[in-house]
Amino acid sequence: MGAGHGGPLGAAYVAGGSVVHRLEPHLKLVAVLAFALVVVATPVHAGWAPAAYAGYAVLVLGAAAVARVPVGRLARGLVVEVPFLVFALLLPVVSRGPRVEVLGLSLSESGLAAGGGLLAKATLSVLAATVLAATTEARELVRGLQRLRLPALLVQILSFMVRYADVVGGELRRMRVARESRGFRGRGPGALRVVATGAGALFVRSYERGERVHLAMLSRGYTGALPAGPAAAVPAQAWLVALSLPLTAAAVLAAGMLLG
């Protein structure tokens, strides 16, 4: 799943040798989760909240700059927050309370604060997760979750998902090429039947492949647990580097609470 991997999971990773890339994956997972918790803990109605959000943005964008994550990669990662954007835009319209005129529209003041806070929190959290995905290979993320004592069954499911997501994606691309070579163009309601048939065939092929893989694992002595080597000790300096992001964000939050 490295830089040269052609699948969608490999495309999320941006190869590099920065200090962020070199950090152990479980350290980055802890750092991103802690940063997101600090962002979520920021009260949206506090007068100092916009300044705190700006500080968080500087921190996460600074981490992206250190890791040399392209702006385009960050922008693509923000696509997943579109539902939050829609909800944030609706809040000032549907919320009650004192109203204020904005571009000829009567909007709720509390709704504006809540919607802006929701959008800021979602954007900052997604940006941090995007930096994590761009600097850590998918299989390394699974290894990090294993180090953090995620239930073994979930780790195995995620491991196989990472391994076979691109395999199934390749099968889907071959099916699409086969359809188009036979004149399929995907226009009109009639195309839904062809697409549904293809989706069903893809499901059956994936299920059969999973059965074959499971039987092959059993024949090689699989007993419900995947072999794992000893975990290497992580130096304290690596922890300090990884936690510098959430700790600085926590300092910004504490300063806002004390001075606000």
Side-chain angles (χ1 to χ4, degrees), residues 48 51-53 55-56 59 247-257:
W48 49 267
Y53 293 141
Y56 302 152
L59 291 174
L247 289 178
T248 308
V252 172
L253 175 60
M257 289 182 172

Side-chain angles (χ1 to χ4, degrees), residues 160 163-164 167 205-220 222:
F160 284 112
R163 171 64 183 86
Y164 288 101
V167 175
R205 293 182 185 181
S206 302
Y207 182 84
E208 291 177 344
R209 185 188 297 273
E211 288 291 320
R212 293 195 299 270
V213 170
H214 183 241
L215 291 175
M217 292 172 60
L218 292 177
S219 67
R220 289 165 173 80
Y222 174 72

Side-chain angles (χ1 to χ4, degrees), residues 154-197:
L154 291 180
V155 171
Q156 293 184 49
I157 292 174
L158 289 173
S159 178
F160 284 112
M161 182 194 73
V162 169
R163 171 64 183 86
Y164 288 101
D166 292 335
V167 175
V168 176
E171 188 74 23
L172 180 61
R173 287 191 294 272
R174 289 190 291 272
M175 293 174 64
R176 185 178 68 246
V177 171
R179 289 197 306 265
E180 293 176 354
S181 66
R182 289 165 175 79
F184 178 75
R185 292 294 178 268
R187 299 188 182 92
L192 295 177
R193 180 178 179 181
V194 178
V195 173
T197 302

Side-chain angles (χ1 to χ4, degrees), residues 55-121:
Y56 302 152
V58 170
L59 291 174
V60 71
L61 292 176
V66 171
R68 297 184 180 179
V69 178
V71 176
R73 176 68 184 87
L74 295 175
R76 290 195 302 272
L78 289 176
V79 173
V80 300
E81 73 161 341
V82 170
F84 294 96
L85 175 61
V86 174
F87 186 70
L89 291 177
L90 289 176
L91 274 178
V93 178
V94 301
S95 297
R96 299 181 179 180
R99 317 293 288 188
V100 61
E101 292 289 331
V102 178
L103 299 178
L105 299 176
S106 178
L107 304 178
S108 167
E109 293 182 358
S110 61
L112 282 172
L118 173 65
L119 184 59
K121 292 179 179 182

